[in-house]
Amino acid sequence: IVVEGLLMPWRILAKDKDAIKSRIYLLAVLGLFVFGAFFSLYKLSESPSVWYDEGIYYQMSANLVNHGVIGLTVTPGTVEHFSKITVGYPLIYPIAASLAIFGNNILVARATMALFLLMVLLVAYFLVRKSIGKNEALLSLALLVSFAPLYGNGKSVLGEVPGILYLLLSLLLMHLARVNKEQGKSNYFLALSGFFAGLCVTTKPIFILFIGALMFTFLFKRKDILCFGKKVFLFPIFFAISFVLWIFTQFQSGDSPAQILAFYVNPQNVGSLSSTIMTNIGMFFGQIGSVYLLALLIIWSFSIIIRTKEQKPGFEEITSFIFSLLVTAAFFRTSGYLRYLFPAQVLSIIYFPGSLYYCFGFIRAKMERYSLIHKIFSRKSAIILVVILFIFGTYQLMFNSWVADSYGSRKTAFWYNYFSTLPTDEKIFFYDTPEVAMFIKNGNYYQYLDLSPAGLFVGKDNNSLIDEGGVDQVILKTDTFQNNKDKWETHYRLEREAFKYTILVKK
């Protein structure tokens, strides 16, 4: 009765069933975007809790605004540039621009990230709609907006979601170039596709694999690219432009090319390759997120194999598929955080409904004699499966995920309030806590960071101040304090503990 009541205005206005269906479809799309927008903005400054990498990237963006340097404050008034960071200007510059325009605080930075996130939803929807179909696009959007890690990684100041946005934009523009090549509009689309591909690759080291995916796809789908003729060179030219911009913004004249190359080949400084792979294999098959990815990749692989000539996947889907395989394979040689699988998870989700349709259609065609199998593997069954996954994902997003765990947190509010009450001449030492240093508004602080995977120990010389009792306060993780109390209690006493951090004041 409720549904009929809601649909009554549309039934009166619509003259045929197709008009009714199109209006319902539009309402569903708008509803899913509202769903995504709500969770992108909900508890924005608190959920997820600020953490280590985010603190570094936020500080670098703020220092670019205040000092014109992509670097970290090491001593009061001293900002050091660092080349060995795992994000580039496609993340830092948009965040810095937002901070310069709207103010230097975490809410502004995360609002920019929320915009990136919503753009990912929009571009993913249009990519699937234009390259596969509108029903598949709707189902992909439903799965994407209910994927909790999208908000856990996307609302924080990190490089994953911006990198995915640039990747999807590159693929969408490539598709538009192929579709419009007869109308002479491919020039602009090809150039922009190459430029966004360059932005993607320079956002974060994991996206360097996008180059490999493009090269592999070119081998399989040469006709899709060579049909552009000489125009095809617009793609690598504009790719090179965004790549050169990265070199000029990221590095300085004193940076050693050999050291930079070694860093980007192994940014996590992983040691024994064989033991790392074995450890990560156990982790991969022991986590629901990675097993979910494996299931999606299997279905996606099967759908690509079984397609006929008329249904062959396009250049964009093959590129996405190969990139997802490369990201998954690369995970086994990393330090094993599931966040490294995130780009592959997002792309697999985007293409899952279409792949499911192809697989179910293939099974129905092969089992045409069995009516029961026809019913089980119908398009309606595929839709029901996606709806079940949407419900499960929504439950996780609301109650049982990293982002949900911090809905009730007051961590950000606590640190803002704490630093707002401190005298401006109070000397603070942040010991390996960049996610806390991002909240202090004045530059009267010292900082030490253990970035050993990058071969860096930022502000290591500052540690002598602790031994001498040369600062008024030290803020460090509680675990660090508990592991070596004698060191800290020589000149300092415990003031308070909050959110797994310890605040020490000079005796």
Side-chain angles (χ1 to χ4, degrees), residues 256-319:
S256 165
Q259 290 180 345
I260 295 299
L261 180 61
F263 170 71
Y264 281 96
V265 168
N266 187 14
Q268 288 115 22
N269 197 24
V270 175
S272 173
L273 187 60
S274 58
S275 61
T276 299
I277 291 174
M278 294 306 297
T279 301
N280 288 338
I281 287 174
M283 182 181 296
F284 186 88
F285 290 99
Q287 300 287 334
I288 188 171
S290 49
V291 172
Y292 180 44
L293 169 62
L294 181 62
L296 296 181
L297 286 174
I298 290 173
I299 293 172
W300 197 1
S301 303
F302 186 62
S303 77
I304 289 174
I305 293 170
I306 63 175
R307 292 189 208 181
T308 62
K309 286 186 178 181
E310 294 77 18
Q311 298 175 323
K312 277 190 175 181
F315 183 93
E316 302 77 36
E317 184 176 355
I318 292 295
T319 303

Side-chain angles (χ1 to χ4, degrees), residues 364-374:
R364 280 166 59 86
K366 292 296 182 182
M367 301 291 181
E368 201 169 2
R369 293 176 296 174
Y370 305 99
S371 60
L372 179 61
I373 291 179
H374 262 250

Side-chain angles (χ1 to χ4, degrees), residues 45-323:
S45 61
E46 296 284 2
S47 176
S49 293
V50 292
W51 61 295
Y52 197 92
D53 287 5
E54 182 177 18
I56 293 175
Y57 305 149
Y58 179 91
Q59 286 189 60
M60 289 184 164
S61 302
N63 283 328
L64 178 61
V65 175
N66 297 327
H67 303 281
V69 178
I70 299 178
L72 296 170
T73 298
V74 179
T75 61
T78 303
V79 177
E80 290 188 15
H81 172 87
F82 293 101
S83 303
K84 292 182 179 180
I85 57 171
T86 54
V87 296
Y89 77 95
L91 170 70
I92 299 295
Y93 275 51
I95 299 298
S98 299
L99 297 179
I101 296 170
F102 300 107
N104 185 0
N105 63 72
I106 187 62
L107 187 60
V108 170
R110 285 197 167 188
T112 309
M113 296 306 301
L115 182 60
F116 272 117
L117 199 157
L118 292 173
M119 287 296 294
V120 164
L121 298 179
L122 185 66
V123 176
Y125 169 78
F126 279 108
L127 175 62
V128 177
R129 175 163 181 151
K130 290 184 175 295
S131 60
I132 300 178
K134 71 173 191 177
N135 292 329
E136 291 86 347
L138 177 65
L139 296 177
S140 295
L141 182 61
L143 290 180
L144 207 52
V145 298
S146 60
F147 185 51
L150 182 68
Y151 305 94
N153 293 315
K155 292 165 71 176
S156 299
V157 182
L158 300 171
E160 278 79 3
V161 164
I164 290 171
L165 173 61
Y166 300 135
L167 185 150
L168 293 174
L169 278 169
S170 177
L171 295 178
L172 176 60
L173 289 162
M174 176 62 75
H175 176 79
L176 293 175
R178 294 196 300 110
V179 171
N180 293 282
K181 64 177 181 291
E182 302 298 333
Q183 288 76 25
K185 299 178 182 178
S186 59
N187 295 21
Y188 306 106
F189 292 131
L190 266 177
L192 287 172
S193 178
F195 185 77
F196 281 112
L199 290 181
C200 168
V201 168
T202 55
T203 300
K204 198 172 177 67
I206 188 66
F207 292 104
I208 293 175
L209 297 174
F210 188 43
I211 299 175
L214 288 168
M215 293 174 67
F216 274 116
T217 309
F218 178 77
L219 294 176
F220 293 117
K221 308 283 287 185
R222 288 189 296 274
K223 292 182 180 179
D224 287 358
I225 299 299
L226 295 178
C227 65
F228 292 114
K230 293 181 179 179
K231 294 179 183 178
V232 73
F233 291 105
L234 288 169
F235 185 95
I237 289 170
F238 278 82
F239 177 95
I241 290 172
S242 55
F243 193 85
V244 169
L245 286 173
W246 173 66
I247 293 174
F248 278 106
T249 57
Q250 191 90 354
F251 308 111
Q252 294 184 334
S253 58
D255 293 324
S256 165
Q259 290 180 345
I260 295 299
L261 180 61
F263 170 71
Y264 281 96
V265 168
N266 187 14
Q268 288 115 22
N269 197 24
V270 175
S272 173
L273 187 60
S274 58
S275 61
T276 299
I277 291 174
M278 294 306 297
T279 301
N280 288 338
I281 287 174
M283 182 181 296
F284 186 88
F285 290 99
Q287 300 287 334
I288 188 171
S290 49
V291 172
Y292 180 44
L293 169 62
L294 181 62
L296 296 181
L297 286 174
I298 290 173
I299 293 172
W300 197 1
S301 303
F302 186 62
S303 77
I304 289 174
I305 293 170
I306 63 175
R307 292 189 208 181
T308 62
K309 286 186 178 181
E310 294 77 18
Q311 298 175 323
K312 277 190 175 181
F315 183 93
E316 302 77 36
E317 184 176 355
I318 292 295
T319 303
S320 299
F321 176 70
I322 294 174
F323 175 74

